[in-house]
Amino acid sequence: MAITRQVEIPPGVDVTLDGGVLTVSGPKGTLVRDMRFPQIDLKVEGGEVVVSTASDKKRILAMTGTFEAHAKNMIRGVVDGYEYRMKVVYSHFPIQIKQQGNRLEITNFLGEKQPRIAKIIEGVTVKIGNDEVTLTGIDKEKVGNTAANIEHATRITKRDPRVFQDGIYITERA
């Protein structure tokens, strides 16, 4: 049972495959990803990326779906990009946010003296508004991981989460 999955390449996007490394270039930039896996063939032909396998093992079939999703996400990233909106929520102590290089510094969180730090992954742009943080980039994985880093930096331990709902939370993904 052979499985074949196709991802269409829109006009204005250039996709190349060199030794298992998929490179997608578009109007917003270029993304590179290693797409090697045993028994999975990757080809770029006729305006589409073709992921195929001759195996019927569950793990390999799952990986073909993963590769298809990676290719779709890379193409969407270089055409439209990704944007995450995060809301700053606090009840007693107003949270202050500053960007310093590749770090986001969260001060006065629950009245703490020590600032909390979240890592901003390279390739992600951070815009700090009034009680809102906007993350944009072309790599879905990097934008999502940066949002997770910020959410994780404001995690509350040793207090009742039903009462202390302060933090920075993802409100919208686009």
Side-chain angles (χ1 to χ4, degrees):
M1 176 176 86
I3 294 285
T4 305
R5 295 170 182 260
Q6 289 103 358
V7 179
E8 205 173 298
I9 302 169
V13 176
D14 183 43
V15 179
T16 56
L17 186 67
D18 182 38
V21 177
L22 191 69
T23 307
V24 179
S25 337
K28 292 212 173 207
T30 304
L31 289 173
V32 178
R33 186 175 205 116
D34 189 2
M35 304 273 268
R36 283 182 284 211
F37 199 80
Q39 298 179 15
I40 293 181
D41 297 321
L42 217 68
K43 289 187 227 97
V44 178
E45 55 185 28
E48 56 187 18
V49 179
V50 180
V51 183
S52 60
T53 182
S55 175
D56 57 352
K57 290 186 176 167
K58 196 187 288 188
R59 183 167 176 232
I60 293 167
L61 294 177
M63 211 57 192
T64 57
T66 302
F67 279 1
E68 178 193 21
H70 284 325
K72 276 182 183 171
N73 291 337
M74 287 168 78
I75 290 168
R76 184 179 161 214
V78 297
V79 173
D80 302 325
Y82 290 96
E83 182 179 83
Y84 276 47
R85 291 184 190 277
M86 302 182 82
K87 190 161 176 57
V88 180
V89 179
Y90 56 87
S91 54
H92 298 96
F93 299 100
I95 299 172
Q96 285 139 12
I97 305 166
K98 282 187 295 219
Q99 183 181 352
Q100 294 183 331
N102 65 343
R103 308 172 346 148
L104 194 73
E105 209 169 85
I106 303 149
T107 49
N108 201 31
F109 181 69
L110 296 177
E112 295 172 346
K113 298 285 180 222
Q114 204 70 16
R116 293 189 177 202
I117 284 153
K119 184 175 185 257
I120 299 168
I121 299 169
E122 196 180 318
V124 179
T125 311
V126 178
K127 260 190 254 144
I128 300 167
N130 197 19
D131 288 350
E132 191 177 68
V133 178
T134 308
L135 308 173
T136 52
I138 59 170
D139 193 336
K140 185 177 190 174
E141 200 172 320
K142 288 180 180 176
V143 176
N145 282 342
T146 301
N149 290 346
I150 294 169
E151 233 177 38
H152 184 73
T154 59
R155 211 182 75 213
I156 296 170
T157 56
K158 299 181 185 127
R159 289 193 177 94
D160 189 349
R162 296 168 295 183
V163 177
F164 293 91
Q165 295 182 351
D166 300 28
I168 304 172
Y169 300 106
I170 299 169
T171 54
E172 191 182 324
R173 297 179 174 108

